[in-house]
Amino acid sequence: FEAASVCAVTPRSVRALIAVLAAQRKAREITDICCGTFSLGIQVWNEMGSNPEIACFGEEMNSYLCAFSRLFLFLCDIPRFSVSEQNIMNVFKAENDEKKEARVYVADFPLIGSRTIPTPPEIRFISDDAKSSIYADWFMIQQTLERMNDADRAFLLVTKGALVRKNEYFLRKHLIENDWLDAVIHIPSGIYPQHNLPMELLVCEKKRNSKRREKVLFAELGSFAERDSQRICKLSDEGIIRIADLYRQFRGEGRWAKTVDAESIRKNAYSLYPPIYLTGYRRSDEKLKLGEVAEVIRGLQNVSDLPSHGQRYLLNVRNIQNGVIRYEGADEIEVRKSEWEQKYRIREDDLIIT
């Protein structure tokens, strides 16, 4: 069980979603990048019929997890596998071997916050507008794209920031203008037990079916999230089946799935955030200072020395999930100053920003 303490395992329902999408076409290799325990890659292998001819390859920088994955693959009776200890952040020369058989890349990239790295010279040709640095999640996406051949597909899990940040505009533009993006699927918050962030599934392919070219399928699975426990949700079986069917047919349905042409994506500054295309939201260049429309109060600071077991809850953003305040686990403190009650109590219509 030590594996759970050093990596975030992809939730079962998210693994099921990726597996049914990946299994719609045959492949001879599955590569799980940042594989952790290899649970995602194995679910894809099982969905593809547990075919002994399909090889499984893993990449992981943690030596313990490499050993764990090898043992797991062996116990799952997978005849052809290997797991290498390597860091995807290391720049490598792409293979570009078009004779390679079809591969499926899967990756649930680590949450790396706001970490940036210098833009490697290997990708500066993409645009003269490239920034001097890019966020690490887009570098990992780009590393995966670099090694893909025309027959390959990739299913990559990232946070919303990768879809909208201005810093990686030129990378998203490159993705759309080369017609390498097949679908973007929004996975709602509350699915991952380790954090409360929504996630985005990018489906990439370099040589797409002629019926799909110059279009991207956007989908939002919030209406298919159901309570799995008191705190955690999961994607329903119905939702997974329906999005798999829509992806196979490459068509929209209602307000939760839609095919969007490349020109519409260009008009939205190459943003890939699904709600923009599903809810009629439109970008605006108009800007206001927050202080012009609301009173801004900085939260209570430096309260580590306050007596505990008081009469008021000290809430952190982590205590607010899916629109509900989770008091269990929140610190209880004594109110030291009378003005705190007026200044810091959370009231209806307050906005909490972090």
Side-chain angles (χ1 to χ4, degrees):
F1 295 98
E2 187 178 338
S5 66
V6 293
C7 76
V9 178
T10 307
R12 184 190 301 272
S13 63
V14 178
R15 299 198 309 263
L17 169 67
I18 294 174
V20 297
L21 296 177
Q24 292 186 6
R25 281 170 43 197
K26 295 180 179 180
R28 296 302 297 272
E29 295 179 6
I30 299 168
T31 298
D32 193 341
I33 302 171
C34 305
C35 65
T37 62
F38 213 96
S39 57
L40 176 54
I42 285 180
Q43 188 136 356
V44 174
W45 187 79
N46 287 333
E47 190 68 29
M48 289 184 171
S50 305
N51 185 346
E53 296 299 318
I54 301 177
C56 290
F57 300 105
E59 298 174 8
E60 172 59 50
M61 64 182 295
N62 183 289
S63 58
Y64 171 81
L65 289 173
C66 285
F68 183 98
S69 295
R70 294 181 191 115
L71 178 60
F72 190 27
L73 287 158
F74 173 78
L75 293 175
C76 290
D77 200 26
I78 295 178
R80 300 174 58 207
F81 71 85
S82 69
V83 179
S84 60
E85 184 177 342
Q86 65 184 61
N87 186 351
I88 193 174
M89 299 301 291
N90 296 330
V91 177
F92 62 91
K93 184 175 177 60
E95 295 178 19
N96 291 325
D97 181 2
E98 296 185 1
K99 294 182 180 180
K100 281 280 188 180
E101 297 183 89
R103 289 168 293 188
V104 168
Y105 291 93
V106 295
D108 191 346
F109 289 129
L111 299 181
I112 48 183
S114 57
R115 179 184 174 190
T116 60
I117 63 170
T119 305
E122 288 82 357
I123 65 172
R124 285 193 179 276
F125 70 91
I126 291 176
S127 171
D128 294 335
D129 299 325
K131 302 293 184 180
S132 60
S133 64
I134 61 173
Y135 282 82
D137 50 7
W138 257 108
F139 180 68
M140 292 188 286
I141 294 170
Q142 190 272 338
Q143 285 281 78
T144 305
L145 293 171
E146 280 291 302
R147 62 203 294 185
M148 288 173 62
N149 296 303
D150 286 349
D152 301 340
R153 292 169 293 147
F155 298 83
L156 312 174
L157 284 160
V158 296
T159 58
K160 171 190 173 182
L163 308 187
V164 299
R165 286 190 304 255
K166 187 175 181 179
N167 210 46
E168 286 78 34
Y169 164 92
F170 75 100
L171 287 168
R172 294 193 300 272
K173 178 180 179 181
H174 185 66
L175 198 60
I176 295 301
E177 296 305 329
N178 282 277
D179 200 26
W180 290 350
L181 185 63
D182 212 30
V184 184
I185 300 173
H186 177 77
I187 298 169
S189 60
I191 303 291
Y192 280 70
Q194 303 91 353
H195 59 77
N196 195 43
L197 296 174
M199 298 294 286
E200 315 294 337
L201 175 62
L202 301 180
V203 183
C204 300
E205 185 177 353
K206 285 193 172 179
K207 192 173 183 179
R208 302 171 64 204
N209 183 294
S210 59
K211 295 181 179 179
R212 299 180 179 227
R213 288 176 187 161
E214 293 288 315
K215 293 181 180 180
V216 177
L217 175 66
F218 288 94
E220 197 280 320
L221 298 184
S223 57
F224 296 105
E226 58 185 23
R227 187 67 57 189
D228 191 33
S229 65
Q230 182 179 7
R231 193 172 64 89
I232 302 302
C233 297
K234 67 177 182 180
L235 300 176
S236 67
D237 293 340
E238 177 196 0
I240 293 172
I241 292 171
R242 287 182 68 180
I243 191 60
D245 184 55
L246 291 181
Y247 179 68
R248 184 183 297 106
Q249 300 180 49
F250 206 70
R251 65 177 180 85
E253 181 178 299
R255 292 176 60 87
W256 67 277
K258 183 180 180 181
T259 57
V260 178
D261 59 71
E263 184 57 32
S264 296
I265 298 174
R266 293 184 190 104
K267 290 178 180 178
N268 280 287
Y270 295 96
S271 173
L272 302 179
Y273 188 47
I276 290 178
Y277 305 100
L278 299 175
T279 63
Y281 169 84
R282 289 293 179 268
R283 296 177 68 253
S284 173
D285 293 328
E286 182 182 1
K287 295 181 180 180
L288 291 172
K289 291 184 178 180
L290 188 57
E292 296 177 12
V293 294
E295 180 186 7
V296 181
I297 299 174
R298 185 168 181 175
L300 192 59
Q301 304 293 311
N302 302 322
V303 294
S304 58
D305 61 336
L306 286 176
S308 58
H309 306 294
Q311 300 175 330
R312 296 292 183 269
Y313 286 103
L314 180 65
L315 296 177
N316 194 292
V317 173
R318 66 174 178 269
N319 301 116
I320 304 173
Q321 299 179 17
N322 300 320
V324 176
I325 297 176
R326 305 290 182 184
Y327 290 99
E328 59 274 15
D331 295 328
E332 298 177 52
I333 63 171
E334 293 181 5
V335 175
R336 181 169 290 176
K337 300 177 181 179
S338 58
E339 58 264 29
W340 284 9
E341 193 75 27
Q342 177 65 28
K343 189 173 183 180
Y344 296 119
R345 176 184 284 277
I346 298 174
R347 294 175 172 81
E348 186 176 2
D349 293 330
D350 281 354
L351 300 179
I352 302 173
I353 301 174
T354 180

